[in-house]
Amino acid sequence: MNKKHIAIFASGKGSNAQKLIQHFRNNSSAEISLIVCNNEKAEVLQIASAEKIPSFLISKNDSLQKLISELRNHQIDFIVLAGYLLLIPAELIKEFPNRIINIHPALLPKFGGKGMYGMKVHEAVKSSEEKKSGITIHFVNEEFDKGKIIFQAEVLLNENDSPQTIAQKVQQLEHEHFAREIEKIISTG
Ligand code: GRF
């Protein structure tokens, strides 16, 4: 099987991107070929440069065509969103049908949608007094957090948990499962 090429889209810290890079280094099924980022100050860009992975910084005035050509130049097969805060345009979804995957730090369909990212998600989970939270890995469609769910993992919460400790528990699940699940999707996709 030919190695698949993955582009990671990220806007922030990049801890999941880092885990994905580690997992797919010397992996026979896929490699991380490109990091796409919309924020020049994002730490994920430093990770890309330290790991010698090409990065592409999207600026507001760039056309979608520019991004699509960049993805084609790197022969990208799959796009993985790891903390990417912009809505993916419909044309890009058409270009990569069932090949764009997102991770959301809660158990969708609850606690998703526009504006639900980062600590806002964990604060909402805390204020609804949920007994559990978790991660959702899903395909991306035209609406925030509404695409087909591929995988979920749960973690129990207790009343002493704060949004910060919920975030830590959820991040642990992300780091444990995301790369492995991506590899499974890629080998069946
Ligand atoms: C993760 O919690 C992920 O679920 C969400 O954004 C966060 C990214 O964190 N979509 P990091 O930048 O990978 O550390």
Side-chain angles (χ1 to χ4, degrees):
M1 187 180 88
N2 284 340
K3 253 197 193 190
K4 296 285 196 274
H5 298 116
I6 300 174
I8 299 176
F9 283 34
S11 306
K13 212 159 155 273
S15 73
N16 281 285
Q18 179 78 72
K19 291 280 170 191
L20 291 167
I21 293 166
Q22 271 158 19
H23 180 93
F24 286 104
R25 192 184 288 134
N26 307 320
N27 183 289
S28 57
S29 58
E31 66 177 37
I32 308 298
S33 308
L34 182 67
I35 305 282
V36 173
C37 180
N38 64 306
N39 170 10
E40 62 182 353
K41 299 205 176 83
E43 284 171 57
V44 71
L45 290 173
Q46 288 154 30
I47 294 175
S49 105
E51 299 285 351
K52 302 194 169 41
I53 295 178
S55 56
F56 178 70
L57 185 62
I58 308 181
S59 58
K60 273 194 194 131
N61 304 324
D62 280 345
S63 67
L64 181 62
Q65 212 42 53
K66 192 170 166 196
L67 172 62
I68 291 178
S69 325
E70 188 72 15
L71 296 170
R72 284 194 186 134
N73 288 344
H74 289 273
Q75 301 177 321
I76 297 302
D77 301 295
F78 285 86
I79 296 174
V80 173
L81 310 184
Y84 187 67
L85 296 180
L86 302 184
L87 187 67
I88 297 294
E91 292 95 310
L92 194 58
I93 296 169
K94 276 195 205 106
E95 191 85 11
F96 289 87
N98 281 340
R99 282 166 182 259
I100 308 182
I101 301 154
N102 182 41
I103 188 162
H104 185 76
L107 296 170
L108 293 175
K110 284 169 115 177
F111 308 111
K114 193 165 166 32
M116 285 300 264
Y117 62 88
M119 286 309 287
K120 292 184 188 166
V121 176
H122 308 301
E123 279 155 11
V125 168
K126 172 70 187 170
S127 39
S128 328
E129 299 178 15
E130 295 290 310
K131 300 277 180 286
K132 60 187 185 182
S133 189
I135 59 169
T136 303
I137 297 171
H138 64 95
F139 287 120
V140 171
N141 67 9
E142 285 85 350
E143 287 178 275
F144 273 115
D145 304 324
K146 291 273 178 65
K148 183 176 167 240
I149 293 176
I150 307 163
F151 174 86
Q152 291 187 304
E154 298 179 357
V155 63
L156 292 178
L157 304 178
N158 59 57
E159 59 196 25
N160 297 326
D161 274 311
S162 63
Q164 287 72 20
T165 64
I166 298 172
Q168 283 162 9
K169 287 179 171 180
V170 168
Q171 192 183 54
Q172 211 171 329
L173 285 181
E174 293 183 331
H175 292 174
E176 187 183 332
H177 294 283
F178 198 21
R180 225 170 28 217
E181 294 306 316
I182 298 283
E183 188 172 346
K184 280 192 211 157
I185 297 161
I186 284 175
S187 40
T188 54

